[in-house]
Amino acid sequence: EGFTKMSHAMSPEMVAKVLNRYLDVLSQVVLDHGGVIDKFVGDAVVAFWGAPIERADDGDRAVGAAVAMFECGQEFRRKANEIAGEEVPPIGCTRVGLHHGEAVVGNFGGEGRIQYTALGDGMNTAARLESANKSLKTTILVSDEAKRRTGLALYRPMGRIVLSGRATPVVVWEPDPTMDAAVCAELGRLWTAFDGGDKGALVQLESIAADYKDAVGDVLSKVHKRLSEVRS
């Protein structure tokens, strides 16, 4: 977050040093979770699962990587000065978008250069979900298509959003392994009811948020506000 602004306050040599270290850290997370590094786009890492080898737990691996990338980004922020060897401007949080969809995977290019990459709507949607974090004030957004391919119980609903280039709204979820699994499950149940037209489910969501007076309560209040906006 805010990489462009930060880079303007640093020398080109320092930008390269910090960026290379950041991309190295996040790339290792992808590899540790069985993903394929597609490319680097500025300060972003593009990765995919399911090719060239498909695994039954690719969905769980991808979500695990998304959470770990955010956590590693937070650690990077805390140690940025140590990594750079001098004072650097504050580094923003790492945002992640995850989607499951179709893509064409293979070697693309010309006579002078060939790259193994993935192309298609699935990749574009993931990139737009990453950007959507800015508006929703979230850090990780997982599409409903991706969520359905995991066995993890760590999602809170963030409603439906319209992404650029897609006519159909996308249901999105925010994973948070620090939240109680039972609470996440209840939030998901209430969202499903609310999305189906049960206005009373929104009242129940507000009630759950009121039961928490700590940081979790703040998160649930954000979810409740977000779902209220979805139907407004």
Side-chain angles (χ1 to χ4, degrees), residues 3 6 10-25 76 80-86 88 91:
F3 172 76
M6 181 193 76
M10 300 165 61
S11 68
E13 294 78 12
M14 187 53 61
V15 171
K17 184 176 182 179
V18 172
L19 181 59
N20 284 340
R21 178 56 181 158
Y22 176 75
L23 294 176
D24 184 50
V25 168
F76 190 87
N81 293 333
E82 177 184 329
I83 293 169
E86 63 180 70
V88 299
I91 294 177

Side-chain angles (χ1 to χ4, degrees), residues 140-144 147 155-157 171-175 188 191:
I140 307 171
L141 283 180
V142 177
S143 70
D144 197 56
K147 174 183 176 294
Y155 304 95
R156 48 179 174 258
V171 175
V172 290
W173 304 79
E174 184 180 26
W191 153 251

Side-chain angles (χ1 to χ4, degrees), residues 19-219:
L19 181 59
N20 284 340
R21 178 56 181 158
Y22 176 75
L23 294 176
D24 184 50
V25 168
L26 295 193
S27 294
Q28 191 59 52
V29 171
V30 172
L31 297 177
D32 288 345
H33 288 79
V36 174
I37 299 170
D38 186 331
K39 63 176 75 74
F40 300 134
V41 181
D43 60 323
V45 178
V46 182
F48 58 84
W49 282 255
I53 299 173
E54 184 178 7
R55 301 180 179 89
D57 62 346
D58 276 335
D60 290 342
R61 288 172 179 264
V63 174
V67 173
M69 290 175 84
F70 167 73
E71 292 174 345
C72 283
Q74 293 296 87
E75 181 69 11
F76 190 87
R77 296 174 68 184
R78 290 190 288 269
K79 295 184 176 181
N81 293 333
E82 177 184 329
I83 293 169
E86 63 180 70
E87 189 74 19
V88 299
I91 294 177
C93 69
T94 296
R95 293 187 293 246
V96 186
L98 178 63
H99 179 62
H100 177 279
E102 293 186 353
V104 178
V105 183
N107 293 317
F108 296 92
E111 293 184 2
R113 184 173 185 272
I114 293 292
Q115 180 182 6
Y116 182 76
T117 186
L119 304 172
D121 179 68
M123 303 298 287
N124 296 335
T125 299
R128 285 165 181 150
L129 287 174
E130 184 278 319
S131 297
N133 281 297
K134 303 174 188 177
S135 300
L136 271 62
K137 303 297 188 293
T138 51
T139 53
I140 307 171
L141 283 180
V142 177
S143 70
D144 197 56
E145 291 86 347
K147 174 183 176 294
R148 290 200 300 267
R149 287 162 177 81
T150 73
L152 307 176
L154 45 72
Y155 304 95
R156 48 179 174 258
M158 294 305 294
R160 293 178 182 271
I161 60 175
V162 177
L163 301 177
S164 175
R166 287 181 66 100
T168 305
V170 178
V171 175
V172 290
W173 304 79
E174 184 180 26
D176 184 352
T178 66
M179 281 191 67
D180 184 89
V183 175
C184 285
E186 180 64 3
L187 287 172
R189 185 190 70 78
L190 290 172
W191 153 251
T192 300
F194 175 57
D195 194 43
D198 182 0
K199 300 291 182 62
L202 198 57
V203 177
Q204 290 179 268
L205 284 166
E206 187 174 29
S207 176
I208 293 176
D211 289 340
Y212 289 83
K213 305 301 181 184
D214 54 8
V216 174
D218 292 338
V219 168

